[in-house]
Amino acid sequence: MKSSYFLASVLALTSSFILCSKEYPWLSNLDHNNGVFKSGEKLMSLEYGLYALEKKLSNEGSIIIAIHGSRSRGYEWIYPLKTLDSKNHDVYFFRWNDQGCPDTSAIKLNKLINEKLSKNTEIQRVVLISHSYGGLLTTWFYKNWSQNTPMEIHAIASPLAGMEIVNNICGYNPPTKIKEEVSVSQWLTQKNLDAAFKDLEIDPQIINLNRNKTFLLPTKYKNRRLGHNWSISYVADEIIKTREKKN
């Protein structure tokens, strides 16, 4: 009993230290200009788990969860995260084992989301924004999301058709259906401009799936080639445009 209490105390103190540390990647402290790489390092230095990036949460409206890709350096998320933040949208970052199979981490994320929804009944929507390999993680929710709270998924530059190593080792299969409570937008980069896909024979982003809204990204964004990592920033801007039209 004493050892369990001691362990719980240590974990609580460790969590408190992390949250109070100057190194914690609070959204307000992240810099998408000159300090973008340092800010990215702070994000990726987090232990595996789901992290709120705002000191004060509204706990209503939507929660936005960013899900990184394989071997991410984090910097590609700084501008999008700061752009998507607003009064009615609480921003989170899911740090996961991107060298493992995606379904294992998807199940963990699902549990964490359900815990938040049970504590905060005012949350009206869950928004998952995934990039690259992170998109394979979010496909688990296409058919397994069990809450009545609507879920909105944006899969960006993601090889949703699968890739040989993931298919063989993890038993990954492309999604075949999307539940009614889930809406999916897939944002495809142009294969010849995306360093992750350009040398492949077939574009692994392309799948045939009902209710999967697809958007082909342009060749340039802000006068720069629109490639793999830059794609998240473009999509963040597009999401904001759609949000403003609705308002």
Side-chain angles (χ1 to χ4, degrees), residues 3 23 30 49 54 87 139 151 169 174 176 190 215-216 218 244:
S3 61
E23 292 303 304
L30 299 181
E54 298 169 274
K87 181 180 178 180
T139 62
M151 174 173 280
I169 295 176
T176 56
Q190 301 208 22
F215 303 90
L216 181 63
E244 290 173 347

Side-chain angles (χ1 to χ4, degrees), residues 18-237:
I18 292 172
L19 291 174
C20 294
S21 170
K22 291 181 180 179
E23 292 303 304
Y24 188 84
W26 295 116
L27 200 57
S28 58
N29 295 335
L30 299 181
D31 179 8
H32 68 274
N33 292 310
N34 295 331
V36 67
F37 292 108
K38 180 64 176 177
S39 293
E41 289 174 7
K42 289 182 179 181
L43 273 182
M44 299 310 294
S45 67
L46 293 168
E47 298 293 329
Y48 298 150
L50 182 61
Y51 295 88
L53 299 184
E54 298 169 274
K55 295 180 182 180
K56 187 176 181 180
L57 299 171
S58 67
N59 289 320
E60 58 183 17
S62 298
I63 59 172
I64 296 176
I65 302 174
I67 302 164
H68 63 83
S70 179
R71 303 186 188 280
S72 170
R73 293 172 59 193
Y75 70 86
E76 68 273 20
W77 283 101
I78 307 306
Y79 173 83
L81 290 172
K82 294 180 76 73
T83 298
L84 292 167
D85 182 34
S86 74
K87 181 180 178 180
N88 296 321
H89 298 82
D90 293 337
V91 177
Y92 290 79
F93 189 75
F94 183 56
R95 183 72 177 89
W96 66 289
N97 179 15
D98 55 68
Q99 297 306 296
C101 294
D103 278 8
T104 303
S105 292
I107 293 168
K108 291 178 181 177
L109 176 57
N110 182 61
K111 180 181 178 181
L112 293 169
I113 295 173
N114 287 338
E115 288 173 359
K116 294 206 172 292
L117 293 178
S118 66
K119 293 176 183 177
N120 303 296
T121 57
E122 298 301 313
I123 294 174
Q124 300 171 13
R125 179 175 295 269
V126 177
V127 181
L128 305 183
I129 301 180
S130 57
H131 179 242
S132 195
Y133 189 43
L136 276 65
L137 184 157
T138 54
T139 62
W140 183 90
F141 291 90
Y142 290 19
K143 63 178 180 180
N144 290 300
W145 179 240
S146 59
Q147 296 286 348
N148 291 326
T149 305
M151 174 173 280
E152 175 184 325
I153 300 176
H154 296 269
I156 308 167
S158 296
L160 300 188
M163 301 184 79
E164 185 175 3
I165 187 169
V166 182
N167 299 349
N168 292 338
I169 295 176
C170 301
Y172 173 80
N173 291 302
T176 56
K177 65 178 294 185
I178 300 172
K179 295 189 72 173
E180 287 299 320
E181 299 81 5
V182 179
S183 64
V184 177
S185 294
Q186 185 187 1
W187 303 82
L188 289 75
T189 53
Q190 301 208 22
K191 180 177 176 291
N192 63 316
L193 299 178
D194 191 322
F197 306 135
K198 67 179 183 179
D199 294 328
L200 300 177
E201 184 177 348
I202 298 174
D203 189 345
Q205 299 177 96
I206 298 175
I207 60 171
N208 183 17
L209 178 62
N210 289 335
R211 299 185 57 245
N212 179 42
K213 294 175 287 186
T214 58
F215 303 90
L216 181 63
L217 274 58
T219 58
K220 289 188 176 182
Y221 167 60
K222 296 184 177 179
N223 296 318
R224 290 174 54 183
R225 177 182 63 84
L226 185 47
H228 197 67
N229 285 346
W230 198 217
S231 60
I232 313 173
S233 293
Y234 175 86
V235 173
D237 284 350

